[in-house]
RNA sequence: CGGGGCGUAGCGCAGCCUGGUAGCGCAUCUGCUUUGGGAGCAGAGGGUCGCAAGUUCGAAUCUUGCCGCCCCGACCA
């Protein structure tokens, strides 16, 4: 992609309304534009990152055995009356009417709808288990939206729903998502800690929040330091097998958010040097809530004994748009974003120091073509901006590998390669740069 | 919803108290000079001063109402 054709409205100064670094950088890097309190348009750069994150989430859901579908954003009030939540949900639900005065709503979540879809198509225990998910925009009319996409009113969420014949099987579905979540966040480069959580208005008795530590996080969290050093299960994990021991390894350690925090237990279970109290961002939340919706909505299957039973259910959410905020909080410096390869909007930036110069233009175009032919995503700065501005902009948007091509180096057959992660630079031939990057990108995209 | 603050050019802000030609920096456009880490000089364009009503000879400025946004708190992916 030529930068001159792209739409990248970067800001030199930080807009006053943004108070946390991720919000500031998203605005400055031209990733989002605010359209109202808690409502954002995704500009091309932000959209690319969002899609990358979405794809990682999708791949790990699929790996864990979940099946993707897509439910609408607009739902009928009657569906929510079946579960009783139309009245219970309160002002967070955006209620609207259509031209026939039918009551509708913009979905804040999809338990009712997925239960309706499930009951329409499943009759027997032989069809279970089922794990269904979608990645869709939600709207929750938050009391106070803030921190940019971290607490927006409209946000992109991956929500999975599980249906099982009994509690043991439901636990197995829960465990699948538990492990899938650890893998998802790890692939994004984030260290997530599962913490026991309050089930809130959704109900049920088994729930974990997945927290990424960050100073700007909204939750106060407490955990055992050992959890921080525990790697996510690797690609060989068998989702069809018994995952309980992997889950237990994490859940035996103390980890709780402030609303579930028990000081006495914390001090008793965790030695003082291992006690971590910090702030964190909730990037995922998983619940098992039994038959709350299946009973209310008559989502039943025939069991092996010929009796109808209400399906055991769970729901599992990941805040996809919020993850962008969490990622920037984790990966940035004074200059701007520092994207991990797996989610970078572009893998490589080519900086043409003298656009219009035949030799430099030619060298840049060659590099660009060669890299793209290797499926490397390139943003080629072919603009007439000054060098300093180009460097600053490339750092701001956080492109992990940057190749600078100028007349001076080119005379010696050399370009400069910079790594955004540590700022290190090396001079090498264009061919060597391509080979180096090719390897690094392949490494960065490799799923472990 | 309670408390606090803000709304003036694309962005960051001053002007308001004490009413009288709407300003500054950055950005944009033109020209010249520069050109390897956010250039210099000269010039130019760009404003319903959030909206409405009121007071006044005269309102960005004073009054009232409304709208929007931000921050602190109670709620949440």
């Amino acid at each position: 992609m030529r930068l001159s054709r792209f739409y990248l409205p970067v800001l030199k100064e930080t807009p006053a309304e943004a108070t946390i670094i991720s919000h500031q950088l998203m605005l400055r890097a031209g990733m989002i534009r605010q359209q109202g309190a808690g409502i954002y348009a995704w500009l091309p750069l932000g959209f690319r990152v969002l899609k990358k994150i979405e794809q990682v989430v999708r791949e790990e859901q699929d790996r864990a055995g979940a099946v993707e579908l897509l439910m609408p954003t607009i739902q009928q009030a009657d569906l929510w009356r079946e579960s009783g939540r139309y009245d219970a949900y309160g002002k967070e639900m955006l209620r609207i009417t259509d031209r026939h005065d039918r009551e509708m709503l913009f979905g804040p979540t999809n338990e009712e709808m997925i239960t309706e879809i499930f009951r329409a198509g499943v009759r027997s225990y032989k069809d279970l288990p089922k794990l269904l998910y979608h990645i869709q925009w939600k709207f929750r009319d938050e009391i106070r939206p803030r921190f940019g996409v971290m607490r927006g009113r409209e946000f992109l969420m991956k929500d999975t729903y599980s249906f099982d014949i009994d509690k043991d099987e439901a636990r197995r579905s829960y465990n699948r998502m538990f492990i899938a979540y650890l893998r998802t966040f790890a692939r994004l480069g984030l260290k997530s800690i599962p913490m026991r959580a309050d089930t809130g208005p959704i109900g049920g008795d088994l729930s974990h929040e997945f927290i990424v530590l960050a100073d700007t996080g909204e939750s106060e969290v407490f955990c055992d330091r050992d959890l921080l050093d525990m790697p996510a299960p690797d690609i060989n994990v068998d989702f069809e097998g018994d995952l309980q021991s992997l889950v237990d390894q994490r859940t035996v350690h103390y980890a709780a958010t402030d609303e579930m925090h028990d000081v006495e237990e914390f001090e008793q279970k965790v030695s003082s040097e291992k006690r971590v109290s910090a702030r964190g961002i909730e990037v995922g939340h998983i619940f098992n809530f039994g038959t709350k919706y299946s009973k209310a909505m008559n989502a039943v299957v025939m069991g092996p004994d010929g009796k109808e039973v209400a399906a055991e259910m769970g729901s599992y959410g990941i805040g996809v748009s919020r993850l962008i905020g969490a990622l920037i909080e984790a990966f940035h410096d004074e200059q701007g974003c520092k994207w991990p390869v797996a989610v970078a909007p572009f893998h490589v930036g080519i900086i043409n120091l003298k656009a219009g110069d035949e030799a430099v233009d030619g060298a840049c175009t060659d590099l660009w073509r060669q890299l793209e032919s290797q499926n490397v995503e390139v943003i080629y700065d072919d603009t007439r901006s000054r060098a300093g501005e180009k460097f600053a902009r490339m750092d701001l948007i956080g492109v992990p590998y940057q190749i600078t091509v100028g007349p001076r180096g080119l005379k010696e057959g050399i370009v400069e390669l910079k790594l955004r992660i540590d700022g290190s630079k090396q001079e090498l031939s264009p061919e060597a740069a391509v080979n180096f990057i090719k390897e690094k990108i392949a490494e960065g995209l490799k799923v472990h």
Side-chain angles (χ1 to χ4, degrees):
Chain A
M1 172 62 63
R2 284 181 187 275
L3 185 56
S4 60
R5 299 253 175 94
F6 202 60
Y7 183 68
L8 186 68
V10 298
L11 304 174
K12 206 163 173 178
E13 289 170 281
T14 302
E17 74 267 16
T19 55
I20 64 167
I21 194 75
S22 59
H23 190 194
Q24 292 171 352
L25 286 177
M26 287 184 79
L27 291 168
R28 284 195 54 212
M31 298 177 71
I32 52 171
R33 177 156 180 87
Q34 183 166 9
Q35 297 299 333
I39 301 176
Y40 294 87
W42 293 83
L43 305 185
L45 193 77
F47 186 62
R48 289 182 72 98
V49 179
L50 191 67
K51 286 287 165 188
K52 293 274 178 85
I53 295 174
E54 185 184 319
Q55 186 55 26
V56 169
V57 170
R58 175 177 289 117
E59 287 172 17
E60 291 305 320
Q61 286 296 299
D62 292 348
R63 192 187 315 284
V67 183
E68 187 172 14
L69 49 73
L70 184 61
M71 292 177 268
T73 55
I74 305 290
Q75 308 185 26
Q76 305 247 56
D78 282 351
L79 189 58
W80 284 65
R81 291 208 170 90
E82 284 194 48
S83 69
R85 278 210 294 183
Y86 192 66
D87 297 322
Y89 214 93
K91 289 195 156 184
E92 278 209 350
M93 181 149 75
L94 179 66
R95 295 152 203 264
I96 44 190
T97 52
D98 69 7
R99 63 164 67 196
H100 302 294
D101 274 335
R102 279 187 291 242
E103 293 174 86
M104 319 282 281
L105 59 102
F106 196 114
T109 177
N110 286 66
E111 280 84 6
E112 283 80 359
M113 190 173 287
I114 197 72
T115 303
E116 191 286 321
I117 288 168
F118 171 83
R119 75 182 175 194
V122 175
R123 296 274 94 91
S124 160
Y125 74 97
K126 292 175 188 167
D127 297 322
L128 300 182
K130 281 281 173 282
L131 275 160
L132 303 172
Y133 76 99
H134 73 161
I135 299 171
Q136 177 64 291
W137 294 93
K138 304 288 187 290
F139 193 95
R140 293 184 189 171
D141 200 355
E142 295 282 341
I143 295 167
R144 184 152 93 85
R146 66 185 122 173
F147 302 147
V149 300
M150 296 279 254
R151 176 161 301 285
R153 291 196 293 171
E154 187 182 57
F155 59 99
L156 186 62
M157 179 178 174
K158 185 287 301 175
D159 38 326
T160 307
Y161 303 91
S162 64
F163 298 88
D164 285 283
I165 188 65
D166 59 31
K167 288 194 188 307
D168 284 350
E169 287 294 307
R171 180 67 207 238
R172 293 166 70 88
S173 291
Y174 186 90
N175 289 348
R176 281 184 191 236
M177 287 298 116
F178 189 105
I179 300 302
Y181 276 31
L182 290 173
R183 286 190 44 76
T184 301
F185 301 127
R187 272 189 63 184
L188 296 171
L190 296 171
K191 188 163 281 296
S192 70
I193 305 164
M195 304 201 172
R196 66 182 182 204
D198 193 359
T199 52
I202 292 185
D205 57 0
L206 186 55
S207 176
H208 286 88
E209 288 180 12
F210 286 74
I211 301 283
V212 170
L213 298 187
D215 294 338
T216 48
E218 285 193 277
S219 324
E220 197 175 359
V221 299
F222 306 86
C223 70
D224 189 324
R225 188 170 300 283
D226 287 350
L227 280 167
L228 298 174
D229 305 324
M230 216 175 277
D234 72 19
I235 194 166
N236 297 312
V237 65
D238 178 14
F239 279 98
E240 301 301 327
D242 186 3
L243 300 168
Q244 193 63 51
S245 61
L246 284 173
V247 172
D248 289 343
Q249 271 174 34
R250 270 99 187 158
T251 51
V252 292
H253 292 91
Y254 186 92
T257 57
D258 52 357
E259 63 263 30
M260 293 294 279
H261 185 47
D262 181 332
V263 181
E264 212 170 294
E265 187 190 345
F266 186 45
E267 292 178 353
Q268 185 200 322
K269 282 183 80 172
V270 187
S271 59
S272 57
E273 69 275 11
K274 285 194 172 173
R275 279 176 215 150
V276 175
S277 64
R279 299 201 70 81
I281 301 165
E282 182 185 352
V283 291
H285 200 157
I286 61 179
F287 300 89
N288 176 294
F289 47 71
T291 56
K292 176 173 173 164
Y293 299 97
S294 52
K295 271 189 179 148
M297 296 181 64
N298 198 36
V300 295
V301 297
M302 195 67 81
D305 57 0
K307 287 181 184 157
E308 282 190 336
V309 291
E312 291 285 331
M313 293 177 58
S315 74
Y316 315 86
I318 289 179
V320 177
S321 45
R322 172 180 288 182
L323 270 169
I324 295 200
L327 280 160
I328 294 176
E329 293 294 331
F331 302 110
H332 72 271
D333 62 15
E334 304 71 43
Q335 268 55 250
C337 306
K338 292 165 78 169
W339 296 110
V341 169
V343 293
F346 295 98
H347 301 137
V348 176
I350 299 174
I351 293 175
N352 182 332
L353 284 180
K354 197 168 185 185
D357 178 289
E358 205 176 314
V360 182
D361 287 352
C364 286
T365 311
D366 280 354
L367 272 169
W368 176 27
R369 296 295 177 210
Q370 281 181 53
L371 287 164
E372 287 205 331
S373 73
Q374 303 288 334
N375 291 320
V376 172
E377 296 171 8
V378 177
I379 181 78
Y380 167 32
D381 189 345
D382 61 335
T383 66
R384 302 290 175 120
S385 306
R386 305 174 62 78
E389 190 181 345
K390 291 189 176 193
F391 292 129
R393 183 166 51 204
M394 206 58 93
D395 283 349
L396 175 62
I397 68 174
V399 180
Y401 298 97
Q402 303 172 11
I403 306 175
T404 300
V405 185
R408 219 143 76 196
L410 216 49
K411 270 184 202 144
E412 336 241 320
I414 278 170
V415 298
E416 183 188 270
L417 173 65
K418 182 173 121 176
L419 276 55
R420 181 68 179 89
I421 189 71
D422 59 8
S424 65
K425 295 171 194 167
Q426 51 185 304
E427 295 193 329
L428 67 188
S429 70
E431 298 72 35
V434 169
N435 287 329
F436 180 90
I437 285 170
K438 205 167 71 182
E439 264 179 49
K440 287 289 186 184
I441 299 300
E443 199 178 297
L445 294 178
K446 191 165 191 296
V447 180
H448 297 99

